[in-house]
Structure formats: C-alpha cells, structure tokens
Amino acid sequence: MTEQLILKNFGFVGFGLIGGSIAHAIREIYPESYIIAYNYYRTKPHKKLERAKADGILNEICTSLSDFSQCDIIFLCAPVLTNISYLKELVPYISEKCIITDVGSVKGNIHHTIESLGLNSHFVGGHPMTGSEKTGYANSDSSYLKDAYYILTPTNETPKEYTLWLKNFIISAGSHCEIMDYETHDKITAAISHCPHLISASLINTVANEDSDGSYGRLAAGGLKDITRISSSSPEMWQNICLSNPDAIISFLDKYIVTLTDAKNAISNRDEDKLMKIFENAKKYRDNLN
C-alpha cells in the first residue's frame, strides 16, 4: 500500500481565480496548513494577496522565491508561459521531497521544461477544468472545484505517493480526478476548451466588425451571449494557451473548418436532408454531455 503523505507547507506562485480557489480548498480541508504566496511586485504591496491574508487564506506573502525552500508542495498558478519562467527560477530552492504541480490547461511545454531541468521526480502536472469569465482572487472560492474534473499528468518518474496525495486532495475538494499522459490531455483540451475560446472570440469579433451603429450589441440575446460568454476570460491567459498548444489546436481547427464549410455548402445548396442531419447529430451528442 502506498503511504499517504502529510503535507503542511504550501506555496503558490500566481494567486488568481484558480490559485485562490485551490488555496480556499486547502484551508478548509487542512485548516492547520501554512500557506504562502509570492508577490511578484517585490517592492510594493500586492493588494489581492493582502486581501487573501486578511481573509485568513494566506499565512505569509513573500517577495523572494527562496522562501519556497520550506514548501512541501508548490502550486504554479500563473499563466502557462509564466509558470515555466518561474519554474526555472525556483530550481535552486526546491527541497528534495517537494512536490511541484501546476494548473495550466496545456501540459506538453511544462513537461518538457520539467524534464530538461531534471525535475521529473518532483512533478505532477495538474489541470482543474473549472473557472469563470470572472478573474482574480476576489472571485475565487472552493466551490469552483465542486463537481469539476481535475486532470493529473504525472511523469514516469513521479513517486506514486505524490500522485496519490493530489488525487485524495482533489476528491476531498469535491472534484473528479482523471489521470492521463500529457499528450492525450493536450489533444483533448484543444478540442473541448482551447478551440471553443478561439471560436467564441472569432464569432464575437465578426459581430463587432459588423456593428457600426451598436444595433447588433443592443439586440444581442441569449444565443449570442451564451455562446460567447467565455470571450470575457483573461486575454493573456488564452494568448499563452494558444502559443503553448499550437499543433493540437491547429489540427482540431482544420477539422472544424471542414465541418463549417460543409454546413455552408448545405445552406448554399438548399440541402434539407444535410441540414437536418447536422442539427440532429449535434443535438444527440450535446444532450448526452454531462
């Protein structure tokens, strides 16, 4: 039987909606834990972190990554590319048995960096598939982890007890844990997360370009607002994601463009049967989603 670890010291680099929500869950599940977060401003107070400390979520705000040397586990919760930059800076301060995990929705690039830095035995990639168009610590809450899928992508060298601890935490926080390799993860998330954001952004930008007098926006109802809600998410985060998972995203976009062209041709050809099949197939699959 794999021994369950006891972790007491938690470190966060990045403390927005997801990082804050995870920290909320840690405080609820492990109330005696000691949680620190990095203030990247260094020379001035970080208002969001100060609020988290006032809320009792954080014990300490640090301005040097050397303070993470006492951490049992470090959560990298900044944008995808920024996590990699911080990871390189953290290397001298990672203790022998420290677990490193992240929350990025792209796993390939950080896995490659982890391997190049010789940190495979420390790393368990993570991706809580939750969130909101709202951003920042002020909107964070442990409820974001309730009934969400949280994917783990350990390396071939990750100790089983590291993965087990994270799995047990994820389940305790109310999430469903899935474990898979990072290549599979990036292929799936390109289709169900990354491309929908690009499609949403492209649609709303097309509408905006047509809306010379504001009438489109004034009359926009549930359909447009529902399908483009995710376009209110962080532009920086989604820029990072697209730059980090280009091959899988482009591959899926190519397939999507084919289906969109098929729909266009069906309309152009007044193909009643084809149009009915498009909508019937879509309804059948959509109705069976959880």
Side-chain angles (χ1 to χ4, degrees):
M1 178 180 292
T2 303
E3 182 180 355
Q4 174 65 41
L5 299 175
I6 298 175
L7 308 184
K8 297 180 179 179
N9 298 310
F10 298 79
F12 282 82
V13 178
F15 210 72
L17 180 74
I18 299 302
S21 297
I22 292 172
H24 273 283
I26 290 171
R27 181 61 70 205
E28 292 170 9
I29 299 168
Y30 311 109
E32 301 303 316
S33 60
Y34 195 85
I35 307 176
I36 69 173
Y38 177 63
N39 175 8
Y40 55 83
Y41 291 141
R42 298 189 181 184
T43 59
K44 64 178 181 178
H46 192 303
K47 292 182 180 179
K48 294 176 183 178
L49 296 185
E50 295 291 346
R51 174 173 174 174
K53 188 175 181 181
D55 289 343
I57 301 302
L58 290 179
N59 297 93
E60 181 183 347
I61 300 167
C62 60
T63 56
S64 172
L65 292 176
S66 63
D67 293 333
F68 283 73
S69 60
Q70 301 301 313
C71 289
D72 299 313
I73 182 169
I74 298 172
F75 286 85
L76 300 172
C77 302
V80 175
L81 298 179
T82 308
N83 280 339
I84 289 177
S85 297
Y86 280 128
L87 183 60
K88 295 174 181 177
E89 294 182 45
L90 276 166
V91 170
Y93 313 116
I94 296 171
S95 63
E96 182 181 355
K97 295 185 178 180
C98 179
I99 302 171
I100 306 295
T101 189
D102 74 317
V103 299
S105 71
V106 181
K107 301 266 71 83
N109 57 350
I110 196 164
H111 269 271
H112 295 152
T113 302
I114 285 287
E115 183 174 8
S116 70
L117 295 173
L119 295 174
N120 274 344
S121 62
H122 290 268
F123 190 63
V124 185
H127 178 200
M129 299 189 70
T130 184
S132 168
E133 69 276 13
K134 298 177 181 178
T135 60
Y137 167 77
N139 294 299
S140 67
D141 193 275
S142 63
S143 62
Y144 278 109
L145 299 180
K146 306 294 184 186
D147 207 31
Y149 278 91
Y150 197 129
I151 301 173
L152 296 179
T153 61
T155 75
N156 293 331
E157 300 174 38
T158 303
K160 286 184 171 59
E161 59 267 28
Y162 290 8
T163 305
L164 179 62
W165 187 91
L166 276 162
K167 179 180 179 180
N168 288 340
F169 163 64
I170 288 164
I171 293 171
S172 297
S175 293
H176 308 285
C177 183
E178 293 273 345
I179 299 174
M180 63 182 64
D181 63 84
Y182 70 83
E183 294 98 337
T184 300
H185 168 276
D186 285 358
K187 182 178 179 180
I188 291 173
T189 54
I192 67 172
S193 178
H194 306 164
C195 285
H197 275 80
L198 277 168
I199 292 164
S200 171
S202 299
L203 175 58
I204 202 70
N205 284 337
T206 304
V207 172
N209 290 338
E210 293 292 312
D211 195 8
S212 59
D213 63 357
S215 59
Y216 285 66
R218 187 172 62 254
L219 298 174
L224 180 69
K225 290 181 179 179
D226 288 347
I227 200 172
T228 61
R229 173 186 57 80
I230 54 179
S231 289
S232 294
S233 300
S234 165
E236 179 189 10
M237 178 179 73
W238 286 102
Q239 177 204 51
N240 271 230
I241 287 170
C242 289
L243 294 175
S244 302
N245 196 25
D247 292 343
I249 290 174
I250 290 169
S251 176
F252 189 82
L253 281 177
D254 285 340
K255 296 172 185 176
Y256 176 69
I257 289 168
V258 170
T259 61
L260 201 59
T261 301
D262 285 345
K264 175 185 174 183
N265 291 338
I267 295 171
S268 178
N269 296 329
R270 305 296 192 269
D271 190 334
E272 298 178 4
D273 292 339
K274 179 70 173 181
L275 287 169
M276 182 62 73
K277 188 175 182 180
I278 288 170
F279 291 114
E280 285 179 344
N281 288 345
K283 175 176 170 51
K284 182 178 179 180
Y285 187 80
R286 179 64 180 83
D287 287 349
N288 283 304
L289 294 181
N290 292 331

